[in-house]
């Protein structure tokens, strides 16, 4: 067992239910990943919950017509993070004997299952030295490593799970391309683009603190009655005014417009003028804030402009603490098209660096529609591995 893994990363290598570290030697602690939600538990816990229909961690249903959970295969790629692969059994009967779904596959399907499993194993091998060595950890951001681990927590024995896995691989591939592109961007350029995309002049900026105060004021306007745009802005300026004597009107105006574009208001034609009322589902700061953040990210990304979860958290909140929620917004906005787009942009960046990449053709050939078949999973996974290796090697030098 490799004991040097940094403690931060050990949390990804523990049973989601009993927190026991995964082990290979003791079959009771081998990891098994649930379909759909991707929680990974030790064999012992899986046996305890085998008659349940939902994951005890998040209540996500295992679904009907699915492989019974006590017949799911062991997650070998996850074990590769902990063990030398040569110490893990290669014997099919030992590896999959408990998994009738696998044993029932025809020869070709078994081969492709093994190919997908070994591709996941390659990803484990790539990140292993990074999470083992403090010196190397800056090569990949924590959010990247989190994403890689979440991909390693994949169950692909069932058709429906494969669909989800394919999506997750694309999302990781896109994330890695973007990470690379961002490394090559100048941070000032990022801030400037961000500002112009949300429609601000070069000398304007919505300070994170101002955004928070304005959004809180809007969410907590007294009776949420229908107001004209002008009155709405005026009431908010009055509320904010005490905290911002330098004139908050332009900021309030801008934020109200952004919220309006994000369809947070019910708009009524009132004679010649429009009047607006905050929709009831946005009459609290958290949901209004989420709608606002999502809208900004949507506008930014629609423009083909990339921004990391860390950077967007800094620009919108003034710190990196909201990086996780920004990541979930960015993930929701990703589409199969955005994966191809990211790969294309990566190709452009590589050219700029004079890198002749033989894989470029393979990268750009990835336009298949979503499918739960095996082939797109294997292809996309191999593309993701190429990008991952590229990213790691590039940062090493
Ligand atoms: Zn457990
Ligand atoms: Zn779960």
């Amino acid at each position: 067992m490799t004991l040097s893994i940094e403690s931060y990363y050990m949390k990804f290598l523990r049973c989601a239910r009993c927190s026991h570290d995964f082990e290979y030697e003791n079959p009771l602690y081998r990891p098994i990943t649930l379909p759909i939600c991707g929680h990974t538990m030790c064999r012992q816990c899986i046996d305890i919950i085998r008659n349940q229909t939902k994951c005890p961690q998040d209540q996500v249903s295992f679904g009907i017509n699915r492989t019974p959970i006590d017949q799911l295969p062991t997650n070998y790629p996850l074990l590769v993070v902990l063990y030398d692969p040569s110490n893990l059994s290669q014997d099919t009967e030992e590896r999959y004997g408990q998994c009738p779904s696998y044993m029932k596959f025809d020869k070709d399907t078994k081969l492709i299952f093994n190919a997908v499993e070994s591709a996941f194993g390659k990803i484990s091998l790539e990140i292993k030295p990074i999470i083992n060595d403090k010196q190397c950890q800056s090569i990949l951001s924590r959010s990247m490593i989190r994403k890689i681990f979440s991909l390693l927590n994949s169950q692909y024995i069932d058709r429906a799970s494969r669909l989800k896995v394919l999506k997750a691989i694309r999302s990781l591939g896109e994330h890695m391309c973007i990470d690379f592109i961002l490394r090559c961007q100048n941070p000032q350029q990022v801030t400037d683009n961000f500002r112009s995309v949300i429609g601000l002049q070069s000398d304007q900026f919505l300070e994170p603190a101002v955004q928070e105060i304005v959004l809180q004021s809007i969410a907590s306007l007294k009776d949420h009655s229908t107001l004209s745009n002008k009155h709405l802005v005026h009431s908010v300026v009055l509320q904010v005014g005490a905290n911002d004597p330098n004139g908050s009107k332009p900021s309030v105006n801008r934020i109200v417009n952004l919220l309006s574009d994000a369809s947070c208001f019910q708009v009524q034609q009132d004679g010649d003028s429009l009047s607006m009322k905050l929709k009831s589902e946005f009459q609290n700061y958290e949901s209004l804030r989420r709608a606002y953040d999502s809208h900004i990210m949507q506008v930014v990304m629609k423009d083909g402009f990339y921004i990391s979860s860390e950077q967007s958290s800094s620009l919108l909140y003034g710190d990196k603490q909201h990086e996780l929620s920004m990541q979930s917004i960015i993930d929701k906005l990703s589409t199969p098209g955005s994966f191809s787009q990211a790969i294309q942009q990566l190709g452009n960046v590589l050219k700029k660096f004079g890198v002749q990449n033989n894989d470029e053709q393979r990268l750009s050939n990835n336009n298949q529609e979503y499918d739960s078949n095996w082939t797109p999973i294997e292809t996309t996974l191999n593309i993701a591995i190429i990008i991952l290796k590229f990213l790691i090697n590039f940062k090493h030098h």
Side-chain angles (χ1 to χ4, degrees), residues 213-214 217 234-249 252:
I213 294 168
V214 171
S217 301
H234 184 69
S235 335
V236 178
V237 170
L238 282 183
Q239 278 207 40
V240 174
N243 300 311
D244 181 18
N246 300 329
S248 48
K249 201 170 165 192
V252 174

Side-chain angles (χ1 to χ4, degrees), residues 24-55:
Y24 179 65
E25 298 89 341
N26 186 343
L28 286 178
Y29 296 119
R30 290 187 188 165
I32 293 173
T33 301
L34 293 170
I36 310 301
C37 73
H39 274 111
T40 302
M41 296 178 189
C42 67
R43 154 89 39 211
Q44 195 173 40
C45 285
I46 292 284
D47 286 339
I48 293 171
I49 64 159
R50 59 195 280 222
N51 292 322
Q52 298 179 17
T53 55
K54 291 174 184 163
C55 166

